[in-house]
């Protein structure tokens, strides 16, 4: 009986997510001592981020620790007391149970090989309230977002007025991948729309690119093609609404050069397009603070 109770206790510990709210508050206080007072709205956003993370983190303590990885092998390695002894087939089966819905929704993007299983260990829950800016034009994405719920608008300011060029209405959309792969800035504002929050699974750029560069270079070319085609459509919509000429041939030329750079160097190219270029990628103080918070998430999760 004692052995059985011990087993049940260990199993429940794996499935449960510890409450780190006290550590979070202490961490925020320490952060304020170093960087000054955090605005009330930003503090609420931080607390909401971690509350959502706790509620929707399917991986619990088997999640990958991308910040410790220097190579692809580091990225897919696990020191979990149970997983480290299991064969790849069993691990894939476990991950498939956790993310069968995600794998189905994004099957065209993720494919059928090991890439989706490796990537899933780095899924991180995200939530955006209606009206919140998800990705901002002329800034570089620091993570790839798999939108799983809610509506996302692609918006542009025309003569000082926001215009919706395109709406992704049922989730199942990937954004930020083009910027992560090419290091180009985001071409359009992505805004949470509708009446319910937008939910997503994020993969940090470091994990995404390390996996593509060293583990799946052929997949990198595939995703570059998919994301570039998406940018072409957005560029055409933007050109139509601005009544300007969209140079698709120039984009295709730069895309071909980008593919050559990837194949020769195995690293992201400095590929950008004329309508995406900007002279200043400097983030404002609040954006920097958010980046610090998300980067140090590992300290309390």
């Amino acid at each position: 009986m004692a052995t059985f109770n011990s087993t049940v206790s260990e199993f429940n510990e794996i499935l449960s997510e510890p409450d780190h709210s006290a550590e979070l508050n202490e961490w925020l206080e320490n952060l304020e001592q170093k960087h000054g007072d955090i605005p009330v709205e930003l503090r609420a956003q931080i607390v909401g981020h971690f509350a959502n993370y706790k509620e929707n983190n399917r991986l619990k303590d088997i999640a990958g620790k991308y910040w410790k990885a220097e190579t692809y092998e580091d990225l897919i390695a696990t020191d979990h007391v149970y997983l480290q002894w299991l064969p790849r087939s069993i691990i894939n089966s476990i991950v498939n149970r956790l993310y069968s819905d995600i794998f189905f929704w994004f099957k065209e993007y993720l494919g059928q090989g090991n890439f989706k299983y490796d990537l899933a260990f780095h899924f991180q829950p995200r939530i955006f309230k209606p009206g919140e800016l998800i990705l901002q034009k002329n800034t570089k994405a620091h993570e790839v977002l798999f939108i799983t719920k809610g509506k996302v608008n692609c918006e542009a300011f025309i003569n000082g007025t926001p215009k919706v060029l395109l709406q992704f209405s049922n989730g199942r959309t990937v954004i930020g991948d083009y910027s992560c792969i090419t290091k180009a800035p985001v071409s359009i504002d992505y805004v949470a729309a509708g009446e319910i929050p937008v939910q997503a699974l994020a993969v940090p750029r470091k994990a995404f690119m390390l996996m593509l560069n060293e583990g799946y270079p052929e997949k990198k070319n595939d995703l570059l093609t998919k994301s570039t085609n998406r940018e072409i459509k957005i560029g055409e919509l933007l050109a139509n609404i601005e009544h300007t000429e969209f140079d698709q041939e120039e984009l295709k030329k730069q895309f071909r050069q980008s593919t050559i750079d990837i194949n020769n160097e195995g690293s992201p190219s400095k590929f950008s397009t004329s309508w995406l270029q900007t002279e200043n990628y400097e983030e404002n103080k609040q954006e920097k603070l958010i980046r610090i918070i998300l980067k140090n998430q590992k300290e309390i999760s």
Side-chain angles (χ1 to χ4, degrees):
M1 179 62 71
T3 302
F4 176 77
N5 289 339
S6 176
T7 302
V8 171
S9 177
E10 289 185 21
F11 183 73
N12 287 334
E13 184 177 345
I14 292 173
L15 294 181
S16 63
E17 183 78 7
D19 185 359
H20 292 292
S21 56
E23 291 94 327
L24 174 60
N25 289 328
E26 181 180 356
W27 181 65
L28 289 174
E29 291 174 2
N30 292 335
L31 192 65
E32 286 184 316
Q33 291 177 4
K34 294 181 180 180
H35 299 277
D37 291 343
I38 300 175
V40 174
E41 185 177 349
L42 179 57
R43 177 181 277 271
Q45 182 181 355
I46 296 166
V47 173
H49 164 80
F50 284 102
N52 175 70
Y53 200 100
K54 180 178 185 297
E55 181 179 353
N56 294 294
N57 179 22
R58 304 184 191 182
L59 292 168
K60 311 301 183 187
D61 65 342
I62 68 172
K65 300 177 176 62
Y66 75 92
W67 57 88
K68 293 183 177 181
E70 296 297 334
T71 67
Y72 165 70
E73 295 301 326
D74 295 339
L75 200 64
I76 65 172
T78 179
D79 56 0
H80 190 272
V81 63
Y82 297 117
L83 289 188
Q84 62 181 335
W85 302 109
L86 296 178
R88 178 68 185 243
S89 59
I90 300 298
I91 293 176
N92 286 358
S93 178
I94 293 172
V95 176
N96 193 60
R97 288 293 185 95
L98 291 173
Y99 290 110
S100 59
D101 54 342
I102 305 302
F103 292 162
F104 177 76
W105 293 340
F106 296 96
K107 58 185 177 182
E108 295 299 324
Y109 190 91
L110 296 174
Q112 298 299 318
N114 285 330
F115 173 71
K116 63 180 181 181
Y117 299 112
D118 288 345
L119 198 69
F121 275 100
H122 301 280
F123 281 156
Q124 299 182 6
R126 296 285 185 266
I127 190 167
F128 304 92
K129 63 184 180 181
E132 184 174 352
L133 190 61
I134 301 174
L135 291 177
Q136 185 175 10
K137 181 180 178 179
N138 290 337
T139 63
K140 294 181 181 180
H142 61 275
E143 57 189 17
V144 177
L145 291 165
F146 293 80
I147 307 299
T148 59
K149 187 176 183 180
K151 300 177 180 179
V152 176
N153 283 348
C154 294
E155 297 185 2
F157 278 84
I158 308 298
N159 297 324
T161 303
K163 300 287 186 181
V164 177
L165 276 67
L166 184 66
Q167 183 180 87
F168 304 111
S169 59
N170 295 311
R172 325 308 191 246
T173 301
V174 183
I175 61 176
D177 51 343
Y178 177 83
S179 179
C180 284
I181 294 173
T182 66
K183 295 186 179 179
V186 177
S187 62
I188 206 82
D189 286 337
Y190 291 89
V191 182
E195 299 179 353
I196 63 172
V198 169
Q199 296 186 19
L201 290 173
V203 179
R205 183 184 185 278
K206 177 181 177 179
F208 190 71
M209 295 312 303
L210 194 57
M211 193 166 297
L212 291 179
N213 286 334
E214 297 188 12
Y216 300 92
E218 74 290 343
K219 188 65 177 178
K220 182 175 182 178
N221 287 332
D222 173 50
L223 298 188
L224 177 60
T225 300
K226 285 182 168 65
S227 60
T228 299
N229 288 337
R230 195 184 317 123
E231 289 298 307
I232 288 174
K233 293 178 182 178
I234 292 174
E236 289 174 338
L237 289 171
L238 187 58
N240 288 336
I241 200 169
E242 290 181 335
H243 304 292
T244 57
E245 183 177 351
F246 173 67
D247 193 347
Q248 187 177 124
E249 290 305 314
E250 178 63 21
L251 175 62
K252 290 180 178 179
K253 178 181 177 181
Q254 294 187 45
F255 166 73
R256 287 192 292 270
Q257 183 59 46
S258 176
T259 304
I260 292 171
D261 292 343
I262 289 171
N263 289 334
N264 290 342
E265 301 176 12
S267 61
S269 71
K270 296 181 179 179
F271 173 50
S272 62
T273 57
S274 57
W275 74 89
L276 298 177
Q277 292 172 356
T278 181
E279 295 180 358
N280 183 14
Y281 301 142
E282 187 66 24
E283 298 166 309
N284 62 37
K285 182 177 180 181
Q286 188 176 87
E287 288 174 331
K288 285 183 177 179
L289 189 56
I290 293 173
R291 185 69 60 84
I292 292 170
I293 291 161
L294 296 180
K295 182 178 180 181
N296 288 278
Q297 172 185 306
K298 60 182 180 293
E299 295 181 5
I300 57 174
S301 62

